[in-house]
Amino acid sequence: MSVVKSIEVVLPQDAVYLAGSSIDGQVVLTLNSTLVDPVVKVELVGRGYVEWNEEIGETRDYSRDVICNNKADYVHKTKTFPIKDNWLRAGSHTFDFHFNLPPRLPSTFNSKIGHISYFMQALCMGREHILAKKKLYLLVQGISEFRQRNLSENPLSVEAEKKVSYNCCSRGWVSLHVQMSKNTFVPGEKVTFTSEIRNHTGKYIKTVVFALYAHVQYEGFTPSAERRRRADSSELLRQMANARIPAFNSTTVVSAFNLPLVLSVSSGSQENEIMRTSYELVVTIHLPWSLSTVKARLPIVITSTRDDKPKCLQVDELPYEDQLV
């Protein structure tokens, strides 16, 4: 039977941490028997990594590729707990810890190409070997580099129109006008916008799709230290409205959704940044009878300051806790 029964990291229920905030918690070590000369410590670690394959050479030889990658270390702090008389008896022992997060941190992030992760790791060590360890991932919300600027929140308005053919010889047009009272938001905030649709065709328009996209530009290096970039997009949110707009008619649709509680802030400029993120709201009207669509694209700015208070998540809600090492 092992001398260590269990080791746990205990944190408050509100586990969304803003960059620059403090983390207070406990390490609870439970022993089956007396442990002599123990080392009990806790680590705060934050790091990022990106990697992708791409073809090399001017002629793009698809039989060869090169791995592009990049990494960044954001924080690494360790606290070793003092042990009185250098031994611990059987039973439970509680150790309090306190860490301050650096003020310049990117948000927790995960994709197929890269990730930014933060975790607390507790360890109990005997003579030159680890007896037990426990890792617990954190959700960290980054702070905007431009938080001190006077950000404008002017109303945003975008229009799109398309001429279409239907029923062989008939022609018409569909227009889309989307308005927002502002385009700057913080994580967890409610986004509300209005779509005005005019259907100047002899066909029904049945649905309108609203989607929020994150466009990420990754930065990496080849083995020969050549700088490379790769762009990738992902859909964060998606809604569908049953518009049911009759022929030669118009309607107005008011839509709303809540942003995720943790998001990368827009257009950061940190020196050790391995990725940059921008956001876009796309409103799409599908016209299956003409094999075309009408799209309106609205840029969204995500910012965060120390005054923002995102809702609290429990740490066990992390969707990728078991995927990161």
Side-chain angles (χ1 to χ4, degrees), residues 23 28 53 101 151 203 217:
I23 301 176
V28 179
N53 291 349
L101 287 170
L151 288 175
K203 292 285 189 176
Q217 180 172 271

Side-chain angles (χ1 to χ4, degrees), residues 156-319:
L156 186 65
S157 177
V158 174
E159 292 189 26
E161 182 177 303
K162 177 166 287 189
K163 295 180 180 180
V164 294
S165 299
Y166 58 97
N167 293 344
C168 296
C169 301
S170 300
R171 295 183 61 84
W173 52 266
V174 177
S175 69
L176 171 62
H177 181 204
V178 184
Q179 297 184 83
M180 305 177 71
S181 61
K182 63 175 185 176
N183 72 330
T184 302
F185 302 91
V186 300
E189 188 175 357
K190 187 175 184 179
V191 177
T192 304
F193 55 96
T194 302
S195 303
E196 182 183 350
I197 305 161
R198 291 193 293 170
N199 178 18
H200 202 269
T201 72
K203 292 285 189 176
Y204 254 96
I205 294 178
K206 296 181 180 180
T207 58
V208 183
V209 178
F210 314 101
L212 177 66
Y213 290 89
H215 304 299
V216 184
Q217 180 172 271
Y218 301 92
E219 183 173 287
F221 296 88
T222 67
S224 57
E226 297 179 34
R227 187 188 299 269
R228 298 290 177 86
R229 290 184 173 89
R230 174 166 174 170
D232 189 43
S233 298
S234 61
E235 187 178 275
L236 300 181
L237 296 168
R238 185 181 183 87
Q239 290 184 355
M240 184 176 294
N242 293 319
R244 303 295 296 177
I245 307 171
F248 301 101
N249 213 321
S250 63
T251 191
T252 299
V253 180
V254 178
S255 307
F257 58 82
N258 291 319
L259 291 170
L261 296 174
V262 176
L263 286 171
S264 300
V265 296
S266 300
S267 304
S269 59
Q270 295 184 10
E271 293 180 359
N272 61 346
E273 196 164 23
I274 60 178
M275 60 185 75
R276 294 170 179 264
T277 308
S278 61
Y279 298 90
E280 186 179 49
L281 174 64
V282 180
V283 182
T284 304
I285 304 174
H286 291 280
L287 309 173
W289 32 266
S290 70
L291 301 179
S292 62
T293 60
V294 182
K295 289 189 177 184
R297 302 177 180 272
L298 296 88
I300 301 294
V301 177
I302 300 299
T303 182
S304 181
T305 70
R306 290 185 178 85
D307 295 330
D308 301 332
K309 296 181 179 179
K311 297 179 182 178
C312 299
L313 285 180
Q314 305 215 354
V315 174
D316 59 10
E317 292 181 38
L318 274 169

